[in-house]
């Protein structure tokens, strides 16, 4: 059946959504002393408490039936078996195979690449890999964008306390300021560039890599020295060779860009933090894979994350999902999840090419706590548009529990989640305003501005600690969440055709700006903007 809305499980959830829309979560806690325990799951160092969500046992059971109806079990088996679940490109999406342990049967050279990476990383970190003047490498600059940037950048930031000797930097943007600001701090004799691109055809990455190469040549290196300062991570051997890079770490078309940090795309993690740290991260992800593969639906952490998201989005009508990590080192998590969730599930046709008929991915955004409290939390508490929030709270982030700021970090996170649920108690507020001497209309007005109802849903994801293993598990949990949502919505989470048109048009416009190609028939707005830009460049 093509129209998901007409299926039994969807209809049942529609009825439950209308009913529960009026119920308050704080009274659900009052009626069910087991609620927190009932709606908490743990796996691989991650604890998910979703008891502040507007769900009850009937809703969770109906969501389970929806997943069953959409053949969750078959889909999960296909994912783990490496079947071609990316049907528009005829490929597997087999990132789970990258994090299987070294003694498990590995595929397509995964083992060989991991061993080559380990050897190279060891050479660089021990100072055996030398730059063109014989100096050891001190800085690594990863040039890549999207999935070839966000994952390694997030992990290097998150575990920065483990950094030894080698500093990793990340350049993604084609805006010259991005690379220029880094080059100005680099010593050409000691800098290693990693050009990371699955396709090795991404215009921004290649343009930045060319500038980096020229910078080396301008600083005394010769063409023959380039191989000492450039390595590539790609699936496209020929393009890498054509660019003039000799050393390449490969991966495979069955690894999607946004799922690729577990492959050689993560080499900057290993260079900056150590191969053991990279392998710990794989082990954490593998532990989450094992849980996801074997746990029954009702105890399955990633599947629960997915189903609660579907409930909020499709049945409670919350179009936006906010991620707030309460740890400075996890500041890059929202950007990572934006690509993971929205590039994967921002689709409006089903796997069979029919319109989806239902909302797919919500808008995903967020920022680090406590900073976000002083930016957009006002809207989360009192705005018209209600959102669903994931709080991500590592139990130990940077400091020790003896540090008052560390206690503040935790207290603020818990406080925001509780405030979203409870809102501002009207009786207490009236008493407060009366004590301030207000009454009558003045009190009413002030009351209206200050009160808020709460009942706004959030989940708490506790990380036992902020280490490589637990981080690997967290990211794998989100990957599986995205997969389960794609299965329920019956969309292909593993292609991204929507980004292609803009790339092609950018190529044409670049040609026009450089006066290499004739103008095509643009819309009036683009023509006018082009004229203004040309004028601006002239003056
Ligand atoms: O433009 C989207 C995209 O294709 C992403 O899916 C990918 O992660 C990114 O570009 C970079 O692609 P590549 O690794 O091939 O340079």
């Amino acid at each position: 059946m093509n129209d998901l809305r007409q299926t039994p499980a969807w209809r049942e959830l529609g009825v439950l959504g209308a009913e529960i829309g009026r119920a308050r979560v704080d009274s659900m806690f009052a009626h069910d002393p087991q609620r927190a325990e009932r709606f908490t799951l743990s796996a691989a160092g991650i604890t998910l408490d979703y008891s502040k969500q507007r769900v009850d046992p009937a809703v969770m059971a109906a969501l389970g039936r929806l997943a069953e109806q959409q053949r969750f079990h078959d889909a999960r088996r296909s994912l783990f078996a490496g079947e071609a679940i990316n049907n528009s490109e005829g490929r597997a999406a087999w990132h789970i195979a990258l994090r299987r342990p070294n003694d498990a049967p590995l595929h397509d050279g995964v083992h060989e690449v991991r061993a080559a990476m380990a050897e190279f990383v060891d050479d660089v970190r021990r100072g055996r890999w030398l730059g063109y003047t014989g100096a050891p490498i001190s800085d690594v600059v990863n040039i890549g964008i999207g999935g070839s940037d966000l994952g390694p950048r997030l992990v290097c930031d998150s575990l920065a306390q483990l950094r030894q000797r080698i500093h990793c930097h990340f350049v993604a943007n084609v805006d010259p300021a991005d690379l220029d600001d880094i080059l100005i701090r680099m010593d050409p004799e000691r800098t290693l560039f990693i050009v990371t691109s699955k396709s090795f055809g991404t215009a921004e990455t290649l343009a930045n890599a060319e500038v980096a190469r020229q910078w080396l040549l301008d600083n005394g290196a010769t063409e023959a020295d380039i191989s000492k300062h450039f390595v590539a991570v790609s699936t496209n051997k020929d393009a890498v060779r054509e660019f003039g890079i000799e050393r390449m770490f490969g991966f495979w078309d069955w690894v999607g860009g946004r799922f690729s940090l577990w492959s050689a795309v993560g080499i900057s993690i290993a260079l900056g933090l150590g191969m053991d740290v990279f392998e710990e991260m794989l082990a954490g992800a593998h532990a989450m894979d094992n849980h996801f593969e074997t746990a029954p639906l009702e105890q399955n952490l990633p599947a629960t994350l997915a189903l609660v998201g579907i409930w909020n989005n499709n049945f409670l009508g919350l179009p936006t999902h906010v991620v707030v990590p309460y740890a400075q080192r996890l500041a890059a998590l929202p950007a990572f999840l934006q690509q993971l969730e929205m590039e994967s599930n921002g689709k409006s046709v089903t796997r069979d090419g029919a319109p989806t008929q239902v909302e797919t991915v919500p808008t995903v955004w967020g920022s680090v706590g406590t900073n976000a409290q002083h930016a957009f939390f006002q809207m989360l508490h009192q705005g018209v548009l209600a959102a669903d929030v994931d709080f991500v709270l590592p139990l130990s982030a940077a400091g020790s529990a003896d540090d008052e700021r560390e206690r503040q970090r935790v207290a603020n996170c818990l406080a925001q989640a509780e405030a979203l649920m409870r809102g501002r108690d009207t009786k207490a507020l009236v008493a407060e305003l009366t004590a301030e001497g207000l009454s009558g209309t003045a009190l009413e007005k002030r009351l209206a501005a200050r009160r808020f109802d709460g009942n706004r849903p959030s989940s708490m994801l506790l990380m036992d600690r902020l280490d490589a293993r637990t981080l690997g598990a967290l990211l794998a949990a989100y990957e599986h969440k995205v997969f389960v949502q794609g299965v329920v919505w019956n969309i292909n989470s593993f292609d991204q055709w929507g980004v292609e048109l803009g790339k092609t048009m950018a190529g044409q416009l670049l040609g026009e700006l450089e006066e290499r190609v004739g103008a095509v028939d643009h819309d009036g707005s683009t023509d006018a903007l082009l004229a203004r830009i040309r004028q601006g460049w002239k003056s």
Side-chain angles (χ1 to χ4, degrees):
M1 195 183 304
N2 271 337
D3 190 346
L4 188 53
R5 295 169 304 174
Q6 303 311 325
T7 61
W10 198 271
R11 282 168 176 264
E12 183 189 5
L13 281 158
V15 174
L16 290 171
E19 282 170 13
I20 211 159
R22 292 182 294 273
R24 286 197 63 90
V25 177
D26 44 11
S27 46
M28 293 185 198
F29 273 104
H31 289 109
D32 178 5
Q34 305 303 316
R35 182 174 171 85
E37 201 180 315
R38 191 186 308 285
F39 294 128
T40 296
L41 294 169
S42 291
I46 308 292
T47 297
L48 166 68
D49 173 353
Y50 61 104
S51 60
K52 294 192 188 75
Q53 293 285 347
R54 274 149 67 184
V55 295
D56 63 11
V59 167
M60 291 313 298
L63 286 166
R65 285 191 286 279
L66 175 66
E68 304 272 4
Q69 172 195 285
Q70 297 303 96
R71 307 185 60 179
F72 162 73
H73 289 98
D74 288 346
R76 181 176 61 178
R77 194 195 39 71
S78 300
L79 169 80
F80 278 87
E83 289 171 16
I85 56 176
N86 173 354
N87 63 332
S88 73
E89 295 176 303
R91 296 172 182 168
W94 214 13
H95 36 282
I96 59 102
L98 296 167
R99 46 228 195 186
R100 287 184 173 148
N102 283 329
D103 54 7
L106 297 177
H107 310 269
D108 269 4
V110 170
H111 220 145
E112 287 73 12
V113 175
R114 216 185 273 173
M117 259 175 86
E119 200 185 314
F120 176 72
V121 165
D122 200 49
D123 281 349
V124 174
R125 284 172 64 84
R126 288 180 189 273
R128 287 194 297 262
W129 182 279
L130 304 174
Y132 69 94
T133 60
I137 299 300
S138 60
D139 291 86
V140 166
V141 180
N142 184 78
I143 301 180
I145 198 163
S148 295
D149 166 72
L150 292 163
R153 185 194 288 263
L154 165 64
V155 176
C156 286
D157 279 5
S158 302
L159 305 176
Q161 74 278 9
L162 301 177
R163 191 176 57 211
Q164 290 167 359
R165 232 177 59 76
I166 307 275
H167 285 240
C168 286
H169 313 268
F170 293 86
V171 173
N173 202 334
V174 76
D175 180 340
D178 200 10
L179 179 59
D180 291 355
D181 284 358
I182 285 179
L183 290 184
I184 215 156
R185 294 185 277 127
M186 294 299 111
D187 175 352
E189 297 175 25
R190 294 166 188 273
T191 303
L192 175 71
F193 293 97
I194 312 214
V195 186
T196 306
S197 174
K198 179 177 174 182
S199 59
F200 225 78
T202 302
E204 297 98 311
T205 299
L206 297 184
N208 276 325
E210 280 294 356
V211 172
R213 175 161 63 181
Q214 192 55 48
W215 173 79
L216 269 180
L217 297 174
D218 292 346
N219 281 282
T222 64
E223 283 291 348
D225 296 324
I226 292 296
S227 61
K228 300 185 181 113
H229 291 270
F230 269 87
V231 298
V233 178
S234 186
T235 59
N236 188 345
K237 252 192 205 145
D238 294 340
V240 168
R241 204 172 303 126
E242 203 176 303
F243 186 88
I245 297 180
E246 286 169 23
R247 186 79 186 253
M248 174 182 127
F249 299 91
F251 61 113
W252 307 272
D253 70 357
W254 46 262
V255 182
R258 53 194 172 273
F259 299 86
S260 66
L261 88 124
W262 323 97
S263 70
V265 168
I267 196 166
S268 44
I269 302 168
L271 284 164
L273 311 177
M275 193 68 193
D276 53 333
V277 172
F278 181 71
E279 287 185 344
E280 272 291 294
M281 184 188 78
L282 298 186
H286 180 64
M288 186 56 78
D289 293 341
N290 280 342
H291 164 80
F292 177 62
E293 187 178 14
T294 56
L297 202 46
E298 63 283 3
Q299 286 159 28
N300 199 304
L301 190 153
T304 301
L305 262 185
L307 294 175
V308 167
I310 287 172
W311 172 245
N312 284 324
N313 185 14
N314 296 111
F315 300 100
L316 299 185
L318 307 182
T320 173
H321 177 63
V322 185
V323 181
V324 188
Y326 270 74
Q328 183 59 33
R329 294 211 194 285
L330 287 175
L333 182 65
F336 174 83
L337 292 178
Q338 282 184 321
Q339 189 201 19
L340 183 64
E341 299 215 11
M342 294 200 282
E343 193 168 72
S344 298
N345 285 340
K347 312 285 165 65
S348 47
V349 289
T350 64
R351 296 173 67 82
D352 323 303
T356 55
Q357 310 287 0
V358 300
E359 302 284 333
T360 56
V361 74
T363 319
V364 178
W365 55 287
S367 171
V368 71
T370 57
N371 308 18
Q373 292 174 205
H374 304 276
F376 57 76
F377 266 64
Q378 164 62 33
M379 175 237 171
L380 298 184
H381 289 292
Q382 284 189 308
V384 173
L385 195 68
D388 157 39
V389 184
D390 275 1
F391 291 97
V392 179
L393 178 64
L395 291 190
S396 142
S400 82
D402 295 340
D403 188 331
E404 201 230 294
R405 295 168 303 169
E406 187 64 3
R407 295 191 295 273
Q408 277 203 32
R409 175 179 74 83
V410 172
N412 272 282
C413 181
L414 296 180
Q416 291 299 330
E418 192 171 5
L420 280 170
M421 183 187 75
R422 296 178 97 107
R424 191 85 199 258
D425 178 57
T426 308
K427 267 193 207 144
L429 193 52
V430 170
E432 220 175 89
L433 294 172
T434 311
E436 284 173 27
L438 291 172
S439 61
T441 322
L443 184 144
E444 290 298 322
K445 276 193 185 161
R446 195 69 61 83
L447 181 65
R450 289 214 207 161
R451 70 182 290 271
F452 51 104
D453 291 338
N455 214 25
R456 300 204 163 191
S458 71
S459 295
M460 184 69 65
L461 287 107
L462 291 181
M463 299 172 71
D464 282 357
R465 57 192 68 78
L466 185 44
D467 63 4
R469 188 172 276 260
T470 319
L471 183 61
L474 179 81
L475 302 184
Y478 274 112
E479 286 181 352
H480 294 318
K481 167 198 172 180
V482 163
F483 165 74
V484 175
Q485 293 192 329
V487 169
V488 170
W489 289 321
N490 189 26
I491 56 181
N492 179 0
S493 304
F494 301 105
D495 60 10
Q496 59 284 321
W497 296 105
V499 298
E500 295 306 321
L501 176 63
K503 285 187 195 172
T504 313
M505 288 170 78
Q508 165 65 28
L509 280 159
L510 178 66
E512 288 182 36
L513 285 168
E514 291 174 348
E515 295 176 354
R516 284 186 283 106
V517 301
V520 296
D521 190 17
H522 296 293
D523 60 274
S525 160
T526 305
D527 277 335
L529 290 167
L530 273 172
R532 269 177 194 274
I533 290 162
R534 287 201 175 101
Q535 191 58 38
W537 282 353
K538 270 188 209 140
S539 55

PDB file of all heavy atoms in Angstrom, residues 144-148 196-202 205 251 256-258 260 339 343 496 499-500 503, ligand 1:
ATOM      1  N   GLY A 144      38.148  18.592   3.214  1.00  0.00           N
ATOM      2  CA  GLY A 144      36.994  17.791   2.789  1.00  0.00           C
ATOM      3  C   GLY A 144      35.743  18.506   3.243  1.00  0.00           C
ATOM      4  O   GLY A 144      35.812  19.449   4.041  1.00  0.00           O
ATOM      5  N   ILE A 145      34.606  18.056   2.774  1.00  0.00           N
ATOM      6  CA  ILE A 145      33.352  18.763   3.115  1.00  0.00           C
ATOM      7  C   ILE A 145      32.243  17.739   3.335  1.00  0.00           C
ATOM      8  O   ILE A 145      32.341  16.600   2.870  1.00  0.00           O
ATOM      9  CB  ILE A 145      33.020  19.796   2.001  1.00  0.00           C
ATOM     10  CG1 ILE A 145      32.019  20.849   2.478  1.00  0.00           C
ATOM     11  CG2 ILE A 145      32.528  19.121   0.734  1.00  0.00           C
ATOM     12  CD1 ILE A 145      31.953  22.104   1.591  1.00  0.00           C
ATOM     13  N   GLY A 146      31.208  18.135   4.042  1.00  0.00           N
ATOM     14  CA  GLY A 146      30.079  17.218   4.304  1.00  0.00           C
ATOM     15  C   GLY A 146      30.577  16.028   5.104  1.00  0.00           C
ATOM     16  O   GLY A 146      31.271  16.166   6.111  1.00  0.00           O
ATOM     17  N   GLY A 147      30.251  14.847   4.641  1.00  0.00           N
ATOM     18  CA  GLY A 147      30.658  13.626   5.340  1.00  0.00           C
ATOM     19  C   GLY A 147      32.160  13.439   5.382  1.00  0.00           C
ATOM     20  O   GLY A 147      32.674  12.656   6.193  1.00  0.00           O
ATOM     21  N   SER A 148      32.895  14.132   4.543  1.00  0.00           N
ATOM     22  CA  SER A 148      34.355  14.023   4.546  1.00  0.00           C
ATOM     23  C   SER A 148      34.987  15.041   5.496  1.00  0.00           C
ATOM     24  O   SER A 148      36.200  15.267   5.454  1.00  0.00           O
ATOM     25  CB  SER A 148      34.892  14.214   3.122  1.00  0.00           C
ATOM     26  OG  SER A 148      34.447  13.152   2.314  1.00  0.00           O
ATOM     27  N   THR A 196      40.310  14.607   1.589  1.00  0.00           N
ATOM     28  CA  THR A 196      39.323  13.562   1.844  1.00  0.00           C
ATOM     29  C   THR A 196      38.091  13.825   0.989  1.00  0.00           C
ATOM     30  O   THR A 196      37.413  14.841   1.148  1.00  0.00           O
ATOM     31  CB  THR A 196      38.934  13.578   3.349  1.00  0.00           C
ATOM     32  OG1 THR A 196      40.131  13.475   4.113  1.00  0.00           O
ATOM     33  CG2 THR A 196      38.014  12.441   3.698  1.00  0.00           C
ATOM     34  N   SER A 197      37.834  12.923   0.075  1.00  0.00           N
ATOM     35  CA  SER A 197      36.659  13.085  -0.786  1.00  0.00           C
ATOM     36  C   SER A 197      36.296  11.732  -1.366  1.00  0.00           C
ATOM     37  O   SER A 197      37.096  11.134  -2.091  1.00  0.00           O
ATOM     38  CB  SER A 197      36.963  14.078  -1.912  1.00  0.00           C
ATOM     39  OG  SER A 197      35.873  14.130  -2.813  1.00  0.00           O
ATOM     40  N   LYS A 198      35.115  11.266  -1.046  1.00  0.00           N
ATOM     41  CA  LYS A 198      34.688   9.966  -1.562  1.00  0.00           C
ATOM     42  C   LYS A 198      34.745   9.965  -3.086  1.00  0.00           C
ATOM     43  O   LYS A 198      35.303   9.083  -3.698  1.00  0.00           O
ATOM     44  CB  LYS A 198      33.261   9.657  -1.069  1.00  0.00           C
ATOM     45  CG  LYS A 198      32.725   8.345  -1.572  1.00  0.00           C
ATOM     46  CD  LYS A 198      31.351   8.034  -1.024  1.00  0.00           C
ATOM     47  CE  LYS A 198      30.815   6.774  -1.693  1.00  0.00           C
ATOM     48  NZ  LYS A 198      29.456   6.438  -1.256  1.00  0.00           N
ATOM     49  N   SER A 199      34.196  11.001  -3.692  1.00  0.00           N
ATOM     50  CA  SER A 199      34.128  11.059  -5.156  1.00  0.00           C
ATOM     51  C   SER A 199      35.422  11.591  -5.776  1.00  0.00           C
ATOM     52  O   SER A 199      35.714  11.347  -6.922  1.00  0.00           O
ATOM     53  CB  SER A 199      32.982  11.980  -5.565  1.00  0.00           C
ATOM     54  OG  SER A 199      33.207  13.280  -5.009  1.00  0.00           O
ATOM     55  N   PHE A 200      36.144  12.352  -5.024  1.00  0.00           N
ATOM     56  CA  PHE A 200      37.287  13.141  -5.503  1.00  0.00           C
ATOM     57  C   PHE A 200      36.867  14.024  -6.682  1.00  0.00           C
ATOM     58  O   PHE A 200      37.642  14.314  -7.597  1.00  0.00           O
ATOM     59  CB  PHE A 200      38.505  12.278  -5.866  1.00  0.00           C
ATOM     60  CG  PHE A 200      39.777  12.884  -5.311  1.00  0.00           C
ATOM     61  CD1 PHE A 200      40.119  12.752  -3.982  1.00  0.00           C
ATOM     62  CD2 PHE A 200      40.610  13.649  -6.119  1.00  0.00           C
ATOM     63  CE1 PHE A 200      41.256  13.355  -3.451  1.00  0.00           C
ATOM     64  CE2 PHE A 200      41.757  14.253  -5.609  1.00  0.00           C
ATOM     65  CZ  PHE A 200      42.080  14.099  -4.273  1.00  0.00           C
ATOM     66  N   GLY A 201      35.607  14.468  -6.598  1.00  0.00           N
ATOM     67  CA  GLY A 201      35.118  15.358  -7.660  1.00  0.00           C
ATOM     68  C   GLY A 201      34.440  16.579  -7.054  1.00  0.00           C
ATOM     69  O   GLY A 201      33.841  17.368  -7.779  1.00  0.00           O
ATOM     70  N   THR A 202      34.509  16.734  -5.742  1.00  0.00           N
ATOM     71  CA  THR A 202      33.797  17.838  -5.093  1.00  0.00           C
ATOM     72  C   THR A 202      34.574  19.134  -5.288  1.00  0.00           C
ATOM     73  O   THR A 202      35.739  19.247  -4.871  1.00  0.00           O
ATOM     74  CB  THR A 202      33.596  17.508  -3.597  1.00  0.00           C
ATOM     75  OG1 THR A 202      32.873  16.283  -3.524  1.00  0.00           O
ATOM     76  CG2 THR A 202      32.834  18.589  -2.868  1.00  0.00           C
ATOM     77  N   THR A 205      36.452  21.008  -2.377  1.00  0.00           N
ATOM     78  CA  THR A 205      37.604  20.273  -1.848  1.00  0.00           C
ATOM     79  C   THR A 205      38.782  20.367  -2.802  1.00  0.00           C
ATOM     80  O   THR A 205      39.927  20.625  -2.392  1.00  0.00           O
ATOM     81  CB  THR A 205      37.202  18.802  -1.611  1.00  0.00           C
ATOM     82  OG1 THR A 205      36.138  18.810  -0.658  1.00  0.00           O
ATOM     83  CG2 THR A 205      38.354  17.962  -1.102  1.00  0.00           C
ATOM     84  N   PHE A 251      38.332   3.561   0.306  1.00  0.00           N
ATOM     85  CA  PHE A 251      37.153   2.927   0.889  1.00  0.00           C
ATOM     86  C   PHE A 251      36.222   2.551  -0.253  1.00  0.00           C
ATOM     87  O   PHE A 251      36.693   2.439  -1.396  1.00  0.00           O
ATOM     88  CB  PHE A 251      36.534   3.752   2.035  1.00  0.00           C
ATOM     89  CG  PHE A 251      36.031   5.139   1.730  1.00  0.00           C
ATOM     90  CD1 PHE A 251      34.672   5.421   1.787  1.00  0.00           C
ATOM     91  CD2 PHE A 251      36.900   6.180   1.426  1.00  0.00           C
ATOM     92  CE1 PHE A 251      34.180   6.699   1.557  1.00  0.00           C
ATOM     93  CE2 PHE A 251      36.429   7.463   1.188  1.00  0.00           C
ATOM     94  CZ  PHE A 251      35.065   7.712   1.247  1.00  0.00           C
ATOM     95  N   GLY A 256      28.394   5.265   2.678  1.00  0.00           N
ATOM     96  CA  GLY A 256      27.839   6.586   2.345  1.00  0.00           C
ATOM     97  C   GLY A 256      28.695   7.679   2.975  1.00  0.00           C
ATOM     98  O   GLY A 256      29.276   7.479   4.049  1.00  0.00           O
ATOM     99  N   GLY A 257      28.779   8.840   2.319  1.00  0.00           N
ATOM    100  CA  GLY A 257      29.626   9.929   2.818  1.00  0.00           C
ATOM    101  C   GLY A 257      29.351  10.271   4.278  1.00  0.00           C
ATOM    102  O   GLY A 257      30.258  10.377   5.096  1.00  0.00           O
ATOM    103  N   ARG A 258      28.072  10.407   4.620  1.00  0.00           N
ATOM    104  CA  ARG A 258      27.749  10.830   5.996  1.00  0.00           C
ATOM    105  C   ARG A 258      27.851   9.691   6.999  1.00  0.00           C
ATOM    106  O   ARG A 258      27.613   9.890   8.193  1.00  0.00           O
ATOM    107  CB  ARG A 258      26.368  11.500   6.019  1.00  0.00           C
ATOM    108  CG  ARG A 258      25.264  10.692   5.411  1.00  0.00           C
ATOM    109  CD  ARG A 258      24.013  11.523   5.150  1.00  0.00           C
ATOM    110  NE  ARG A 258      23.012  10.793   4.384  1.00  0.00           N
ATOM    111  CZ  ARG A 258      22.971  10.731   3.054  1.00  0.00           C
ATOM    112  NH1 ARG A 258      23.875  11.349   2.326  1.00  0.00           N
ATOM    113  NH2 ARG A 258      22.031  10.044   2.436  1.00  0.00           N
ATOM    114  N   SER A 260      30.715   7.753   6.880  1.00  0.00           N
ATOM    115  CA  SER A 260      32.045   7.273   6.494  1.00  0.00           C
ATOM    116  C   SER A 260      33.134   7.502   7.530  1.00  0.00           C
ATOM    117  O   SER A 260      34.276   7.126   7.307  1.00  0.00           O
ATOM    118  CB  SER A 260      32.464   7.936   5.172  1.00  0.00           C
ATOM    119  OG  SER A 260      32.637   9.330   5.335  1.00  0.00           O
ATOM    120  N   GLN A 339      23.509  16.939   8.944  1.00  0.00           N
ATOM    121  CA  GLN A 339      23.768  16.218   7.697  1.00  0.00           C
ATOM    122  C   GLN A 339      23.212  14.794   7.785  1.00  0.00           C
ATOM    123  O   GLN A 339      22.538  14.316   6.877  1.00  0.00           O
ATOM    124  CB  GLN A 339      25.266  16.160   7.352  1.00  0.00           C
ATOM    125  CG  GLN A 339      25.452  15.583   5.937  1.00  0.00           C
ATOM    126  CD  GLN A 339      26.821  15.000   5.639  1.00  0.00           C
ATOM    127  OE1 GLN A 339      27.586  14.689   6.544  1.00  0.00           O
ATOM    128  NE2 GLN A 339      27.127  14.840   4.367  1.00  0.00           N
ATOM    129  N   GLU A 343      20.179  15.093   5.341  1.00  0.00           N
ATOM    130  CA  GLU A 343      20.594  14.619   4.011  1.00  0.00           C
ATOM    131  C   GLU A 343      20.063  13.204   3.796  1.00  0.00           C
ATOM    132  O   GLU A 343      19.771  12.805   2.667  1.00  0.00           O
ATOM    133  CB  GLU A 343      22.121  14.669   3.850  1.00  0.00           C
ATOM    134  CG  GLU A 343      22.554  14.497   2.403  1.00  0.00           C
ATOM    135  CD  GLU A 343      24.026  14.835   2.152  1.00  0.00           C
ATOM    136  OE1 GLU A 343      24.888  14.040   2.585  1.00  0.00           O
ATOM    137  OE2 GLU A 343      24.324  15.863   1.533  1.00  0.00           O
ATOM    138  N   GLN A 496      21.245  11.125  -2.116  1.00  0.00           N
ATOM    139  CA  GLN A 496      21.102  12.573  -1.884  1.00  0.00           C
ATOM    140  C   GLN A 496      21.042  13.301  -3.217  1.00  0.00           C
ATOM    141  O   GLN A 496      21.812  14.201  -3.487  1.00  0.00           O
ATOM    142  CB  GLN A 496      22.225  13.135  -0.981  1.00  0.00           C
ATOM    143  CG  GLN A 496      23.666  12.961  -1.457  1.00  0.00           C
ATOM    144  CD  GLN A 496      24.172  11.568  -1.262  1.00  0.00           C
ATOM    145  OE1 GLN A 496      23.886  10.913  -0.265  1.00  0.00           O
ATOM    146  NE2 GLN A 496      24.935  11.072  -2.239  1.00  0.00           N
ATOM    147  N   VAL A 499      20.999  17.340  -3.879  1.00  0.00           N
ATOM    148  CA  VAL A 499      22.087  18.314  -3.832  1.00  0.00           C
ATOM    149  C   VAL A 499      22.793  18.469  -5.181  1.00  0.00           C
ATOM    150  O   VAL A 499      23.654  19.329  -5.338  1.00  0.00           O
ATOM    151  CB  VAL A 499      23.135  17.971  -2.728  1.00  0.00           C
ATOM    152  CG1 VAL A 499      22.489  18.006  -1.362  1.00  0.00           C
ATOM    153  CG2 VAL A 499      23.775  16.628  -2.983  1.00  0.00           C
ATOM    154  N   GLU A 500      22.401  17.633  -6.144  1.00  0.00           N
ATOM    155  CA  GLU A 500      23.148  17.619  -7.410  1.00  0.00           C
ATOM    156  C   GLU A 500      22.869  18.837  -8.300  1.00  0.00           C
ATOM    157  O   GLU A 500      23.768  19.394  -8.907  1.00  0.00           O
ATOM    158  CB  GLU A 500      22.844  16.336  -8.204  1.00  0.00           C
ATOM    159  CG  GLU A 500      23.330  15.078  -7.516  1.00  0.00           C
ATOM    160  CD  GLU A 500      24.814  15.134  -7.152  1.00  0.00           C
ATOM    161  OE1 GLU A 500      25.614  15.666  -7.948  1.00  0.00           O
ATOM    162  OE2 GLU A 500      25.172  14.679  -6.045  1.00  0.00           O
ATOM    163  N   LYS A 503      24.852  21.886  -7.571  1.00  0.00           N
ATOM    164  CA  LYS A 503      26.272  21.743  -7.940  1.00  0.00           C
ATOM    165  C   LYS A 503      26.454  22.031  -9.428  1.00  0.00           C
ATOM    166  O   LYS A 503      27.375  22.745  -9.829  1.00  0.00           O
ATOM    167  CB  LYS A 503      26.742  20.298  -7.666  1.00  0.00           C
ATOM    168  CG  LYS A 503      26.955  19.978  -6.212  1.00  0.00           C
ATOM    169  CD  LYS A 503      27.585  18.584  -6.106  1.00  0.00           C
ATOM    170  CE  LYS A 503      27.502  18.043  -4.713  1.00  0.00           C
ATOM    171  NZ  LYS A 503      27.910  16.653  -4.584  1.00  0.00           N
TER     172      LYS A 503
HETATM  173  O1  LIG B   1      26.937  17.386  -1.553  1.00  0.00           O
HETATM  174  C1  LIG B   1      26.648  16.317  -0.757  1.00  0.00           C
HETATM  175  C2  LIG B   1      27.770  15.344  -0.630  1.00  0.00           C
HETATM  176  O2  LIG B   1      27.749  14.487  -1.706  1.00  0.00           O
HETATM  177  C3  LIG B   1      27.679  14.591   0.694  1.00  0.00           C
HETATM  178  O3  LIG B   1      26.824  13.533   0.651  1.00  0.00           O
HETATM  179  C4  LIG B   1      29.110  14.242   0.911  1.00  0.00           C
HETATM  180  O4  LIG B   1      29.341  13.884   2.251  1.00  0.00           O
HETATM  181  C5  LIG B   1      29.798  15.512   0.496  1.00  0.00           C
HETATM  182  O5  LIG B   1      29.049  15.972  -0.599  1.00  0.00           O
HETATM  183  C6  LIG B   1      31.244  15.379   0.113  1.00  0.00           C
HETATM  184  O6  LIG B   1      31.402  14.469  -0.939  1.00  0.00           O
HETATM  185  P1  LIG B   1      32.831  13.872  -1.275  1.00  0.00           P
HETATM  186  O7  LIG B   1      33.294  13.086  -0.097  1.00  0.00           O
HETATM  187  O8  LIG B   1      32.607  13.006  -2.489  1.00  0.00           O
HETATM  188  O9  LIG B   1      33.761  15.012  -1.564  1.00  0.00           O
END
